[in-house]
Amino acid sequence: MISDMEKYVSALLKANVSADDIEKTKAVIGATDEVCAILDSPSVPLSEKETAIGELFPKSIGGVLAAISEDMCVSEFNEIAKAYLAELDKKNNVANAVLRCVTEPTAEQLDGFKAFVMKETGAADAKIEVVRDASLLGGFVIDVNGMQFDRSLRTKLRNIKDTVEKNAVKNNDVDAGGIISILKEDIKDFEFETKGEEIGTVISVGDGIATIHGLDSVMYGEIIIFESGVKGMVQDIKKNTVGCILFGSDDDISEGSRVKRSHKKAGVPVGDAFIGRIVNALGEPIDGKGDIQADDYRLVEQPAPSIVDRKSVSEPLETGILAIDSMFPIGRGQRELIIGDRQTGKTSIALDTILNQKGKNCICIYNAIGQKASTVANLVGDLEKHGALDYTIVVCATAADPASLQYIAPYAATAIAEYFMYQGKDCLIVYDDLSKHAVAYRAISLLLERPPGREAYPGDVFYLHSRLLERSSRLTPELGGGSITALPIIETQAGDVSAYIPTNVISITDGQIYLESDLFFSGQRPAVNVGLSVSRVGGAAQTKAMKKAAGSLRVDLAQFREMEVFTQFSSDLDNETKAQLQYGKGLMELLKQPLGNPMSLAHQVITLVIAIGKGFVEVPIEQMKKYQGELLAYFDEQHRDIIDDINATKTLDDALRERILKAAKAFKN
């Protein structure tokens, strides 16, 4: 593209140069290279150039060439002439169209095409450029003003094929008789489309990004379809071009490939049939169990519920993990961040939470972003082994998938969750993890030539996650009372919670569970750091029984950690300090919990009541977990009434506390 093109075209328009003079000028320039050499040479004086222009070129254009010959390369005149003629046609209301057909049209047919173009565009005249294209098989395609009128036999046959496949899947009718009946019906109604489609042309493609010229009316976030069948989503709109991310391979897309609009924003199919299935970021099944019958279609980008549509968080979503349910409770509709270094048990906490929802009328969605396919397969195996896949949907965008699919995956997973939420159901969604999601978005943004900011992330990376997590909420009873509880996961580097992405997500969420590497490697699992973890919903998301049972647990643990650091180099300790340290070590031991073994509410309450009542003080630390297991088994067998009371009333009065302590004493004796 020549710089200052508008300046040259404007000069030609001002001089009112005719199309005939433009053609004569092009002929003179093309006749010999010597003309260009003279006019482009800096050693030839300007007066001699003007004399040569006056002798060789038409008078109407000589003055223009002389005026711009100082800074214009004459050999580039063809490109300027093309832009000028297009502007001239626009000024004179002349439509330029390209007719692609298999055989050369007759003069009468050409007049018909000309009349058709004038009617569709409202132009006073039309110019038709004929291009032979045997791949159309029959019929024709007209491109005019960025619109395409496709009446080719190739497109009609493709539409018939799509109809056959769609009806065959819908009706489970794939036998020859069924296909023939569909074909007969479709061929009987054989008609060419009369409406035009807006068409764009690929300027460049690479790394999952395509730049397209045309598509002037396209929407941000709209799905566009390439002639190879690959879909993309518009993510960048500039003055003359559109940038889009591709949802498939770009092997069959090249410069000059054609693109058409779908007039639909990106969305995913949703429905009850998705439960128990594994799908990709576009909602397509990848578990080999056949197609999924969708009940609806939801856009991946949706506005979050307004303030008046939300209800405060008041109902607990129990994780089954004692350390979390007792000190950092999670409520239905809350967003609780799980944050920590690599390999510290972040996914394990999310997995246990999903397993603990069995029989609690909660639909779980696990969204894997940028993970190895083998890792996701192992997790799905664990879910299946525990029977959790019966109420779980897995939305997967692995590390092998393009950055575009990793970027859209959490929004697609949230759209699926919203389908259930607006039906009045409770959902739990795990984003594993949003660090990789931010990295995928950074890659896309840099390829789209957006300016990088802190840590090379684009300026809107905060908005990336805030608009995602704001969609998790609890709705008012008038809207069905459904909820989405979000557990986003963020991976830190060397425990640095002050990095860009961690601080962003911490400020968006309603609390965080911080997992510490030192605790993890010392055998404290889950490795929850009591000091840095917090739930901003707090006791509002706890049952009365748990709130009362937990009591001073967090304060006791904080005192133990402080005393442990203070006394680690002391050899001579008084009995009271030794007792406090022994009590604190016992609490830490009780908070250890093996993977895949979530605890019920009753077991958690019983454990806490006995622990805070100093019922475990005399038990040796190495035998603590064994003693706890046998104690809870004793309650299950001998004191079922206590467990039933806790589960039924979800309260803990003094009388019930005494019954628990009395039963524990009896077990000890």
Side-chain angles (χ1 to χ4, degrees):
M1 189 71 179
I2 300 173
S3 60
D4 292 335
M5 175 72 81
E6 291 179 4
K7 169 187 162 185
Y8 302 141
V9 171
S10 172
L12 290 169
L13 283 169
K14 193 174 179 181
N16 200 21
V17 178
S18 69
D20 287 341
D21 284 345
I22 290 287
E23 294 301 330
K24 288 175 186 174
T25 303
K26 285 166 66 179
V28 172
I29 290 173
T32 173
D33 292 336
E34 291 178 15
V35 176
C36 292
I38 292 170
L39 296 177
D40 291 342
S41 174
S43 59
V44 177
L46 186 60
S47 57
E48 289 185 27
K49 288 184 181 180
E50 288 175 354
T51 304
I53 288 169
E55 292 175 359
L56 294 170
F57 296 96
K59 288 183 180 180
S60 58
I61 204 168
V64 177
L65 280 176
I68 61 178
S69 60
E70 285 186 272
D71 57 357
M72 184 196 79
C73 179
V74 179
S75 58
E76 295 173 339
F77 184 76
N78 283 344
E79 196 174 334
I80 296 169
K82 185 179 177 182
Y84 172 67
L85 291 173
E87 195 63 34
L88 200 64
D89 286 339
K90 191 175 177 182
K91 182 181 175 183
N92 297 327
N93 196 19
V94 177
N96 283 283
V98 176
L99 170 67
R100 290 189 289 143
C101 51
V102 178
T103 55
E104 195 80 25
T106 63
E108 186 181 348
Q109 288 173 328
L110 210 53
D111 289 339
F113 288 129
K114 191 174 178 181
F116 172 78
V117 170
M118 290 164 62
K119 179 186 172 186
E120 290 294 333
T121 59
D125 197 4
K127 294 178 181 176
I128 308 287
E129 179 188 350
V130 179
V131 177
R132 300 277 297 274
D133 187 351
S135 68
L136 297 179
L137 304 178
F140 61 88
V141 175
I142 294 180
D143 296 327
V144 57
N145 291 350
M147 299 288 288
Q148 184 179 79
F149 300 87
D150 191 341
R151 302 187 184 180
S152 66
L153 185 58
R154 180 184 65 186
T155 300
K156 184 59 186 176
L157 291 174
R158 188 183 296 155
N159 291 342
I160 291 174
K161 178 190 171 191
D162 292 343
T163 304
V164 169
E165 289 177 348
K166 193 183 296 180
N167 288 333
V169 169
K170 187 176 178 181
N171 303 324
N172 293 321
D173 189 4
V174 292
D175 65 325
I179 291 174
I180 289 170
S181 65
I182 294 168
L183 278 171
K184 283 182 177 177
E185 188 69 27
D186 210 53
I187 292 169
K188 184 179 73 176
D189 301 328
F190 186 98
E191 287 181 9
F192 286 109
E193 291 288 333
T194 55
K195 65 180 182 180
E197 290 183 325
E198 194 173 353
I199 294 295
T201 307
V202 174
I203 298 174
S204 64
V205 63
D207 297 314
I209 302 290
T211 305
I212 299 154
H213 176 71
L215 301 181
D216 295 333
S217 305
V218 77
M219 300 179 288
Y220 182 85
E222 182 178 339
I223 293 293
I224 55 176
I225 304 166
F226 294 80
E227 57 187 354
S228 64
V230 173
K231 293 180 180 178
M233 183 169 75
V234 175
Q235 283 290 286
D236 200 32
I237 298 178
K238 295 180 181 175
K239 184 178 179 182
N240 298 313
T241 60
V242 169
C244 84
I245 55 176
L246 303 177
F247 291 147
S249 171
D250 58 8
D251 292 345
D252 297 326
I253 301 171
S254 58
E255 186 178 340
S257 295
R258 306 177 75 74
V259 194
K260 66 179 180 180
R261 292 179 61 190
S262 69
H263 301 277
K264 282 200 310 185
K265 286 204 164 190
V268 288
V270 293
D272 293 335
F274 280 79
I275 297 174
R277 300 297 299 273
I278 306 165
V279 297
N280 63 13
L282 301 177
E284 299 164 344
I286 55 174
D287 53 6
K289 296 179 181 177
D291 292 310
I292 302 174
Q293 185 66 46
D295 299 327
D296 200 357
Y297 181 88
R298 285 189 69 87
L299 299 181
V300 295
E301 295 272 16
Q302 293 274 10
S306 65
I307 297 297
V308 294
D309 292 337
R310 296 172 183 250
K311 188 185 177 197
S312 60
V313 176
S314 58
E315 189 179 339
L317 185 136
E318 292 153 355
T319 64
I321 300 169
L322 183 62
I324 295 172
D325 289 342
S326 59
M327 293 182 284
F328 321 107
I330 300 170
R332 298 192 181 220
Q334 187 177 341
R335 300 154 302 177
E336 184 80 1
L337 173 64
I338 302 173
I339 184 168
D341 283 3
R342 185 174 176 271
Q343 297 291 322
T344 51
K346 300 185 297 297
T347 303
S348 300
I349 286 178
L351 180 62
D352 273 0
T353 306
I354 292 173
L355 298 182
N356 197 51
Q357 304 315 307
K358 192 170 187 177
K360 295 184 179 177
N361 196 27
C362 181
I363 294 161
C364 301
I365 298 168
Y366 178 78
N367 177 213
I369 309 165
Q371 297 186 44
K372 291 190 294 185
S374 58
T375 304
V376 180
N378 290 336
L379 186 133
V380 170
D382 289 339
L383 291 174
E384 206 161 10
K385 184 171 70 177
H386 291 89
L389 209 56
D390 297 339
Y391 54 87
T392 303
I393 303 166
V394 179
V395 180
C396 184
T398 64
D401 288 328
S404 54
L405 289 179
Q406 293 181 44
Y407 158 63
I408 204 174
Y411 299 101
T414 308
I416 294 172
E418 283 176 333
Y419 167 78
F420 295 106
M421 178 177 75
Y422 285 105
Q423 285 187 337
K425 298 177 181 177
D426 291 316
C427 293
L428 167 68
I429 185 165
V430 176
Y431 304 106
D432 192 8
D433 64 71
L434 292 187
S435 302
K436 294 185 179 71
H437 181 232
V439 168
Y441 185 63
R442 175 171 64 182
I444 289 170
S445 298
L446 292 174
L447 289 167
L448 287 170
E449 298 179 359
R450 292 176 181 168
R454 179 177 165 188
E455 295 181 25
Y457 289 103
D460 62 341
V461 74
F462 180 88
Y463 179 57
L464 173 79
H465 289 147
S466 64
R467 74 177 190 264
L468 171 70
L469 294 170
E470 282 296 321
R471 291 161 69 178
S472 298
S473 63
R474 190 178 182 200
L475 299 179
T476 58
E478 292 77 17
L479 290 174
S483 70
I484 296 177
T485 307
L487 293 181
I489 294 175
I490 287 288
E491 184 180 301
T492 55
Q493 305 292 327
D496 183 14
V497 293
S498 64
Y500 191 26
I501 301 303
T503 50
N504 278 351
V505 184
I506 285 171
S507 64
I508 296 165
T509 49
D510 307 314
Q512 69 272 351
I513 296 164
Y514 178 64
L515 304 180
E516 193 175 357
S517 299
D518 291 344
L519 285 173
F520 184 84
F521 295 125
S522 67
Q524 186 68 37
R525 301 174 187 178
V528 178
N529 182 308
V530 178
L532 292 179
S533 301
V534 66
S535 171
R536 297 190 183 98
V537 174
Q542 273 181 317
T543 60
K544 291 180 180 178
M546 178 59 77
K547 194 187 298 186
K548 198 165 183 181
S552 60
L553 177 64
R554 192 169 180 183
V555 175
D556 292 346
L557 284 171
Q559 287 177 345
F560 162 70
R561 292 291 295 275
E562 191 176 330
M563 189 176 291
E564 188 182 35
V565 172
F566 185 71
T567 60
Q568 62 182 330
F569 299 113
S570 302
S571 56
D572 188 21
L573 300 174
D574 60 86
N575 291 333
E576 189 178 344
T577 304
K578 286 179 181 178
Q580 268 193 299
L581 286 171
Q582 182 69 14
Y583 170 61
K585 287 177 182 175
L587 289 180
M588 293 295 287
E589 190 68 23
L590 285 173
L591 292 180
K592 291 181 182 178
Q593 202 166 325
L595 178 62
N597 286 276
M599 293 175 69
S600 66
L601 172 66
H603 282 181
Q604 288 181 347
V605 170
I606 290 168
T607 300
L608 289 171
V609 167
I610 297 170
I612 292 173
K614 307 293 177 74
F616 290 103
V617 170
E618 295 177 10
V619 180
I621 296 296
E622 60 275 7
Q623 295 180 23
M624 186 75 73
K625 293 307 292 180
K626 182 183 177 184
Y627 183 86
Q628 180 193 13
E630 291 173 352
L631 175 64
L632 294 176
Y634 169 75
F635 270 87
D636 285 339
E637 294 170 9
Q638 303 296 327
H639 294 278
R640 193 70 206 176
D641 55 321
I642 293 177
I643 289 176
D644 291 340
D645 284 350
I646 295 171
N647 288 333
T649 63
K650 291 185 170 49
T651 57
L652 179 67
D653 54 25
D654 292 339
L656 185 55
R657 183 192 293 272
E658 286 303 318
R659 285 165 61 196
I660 293 170
L661 291 173
K662 186 178 178 182
K665 191 174 181 181
F667 172 77
K668 186 178 180 181
N669 292 335

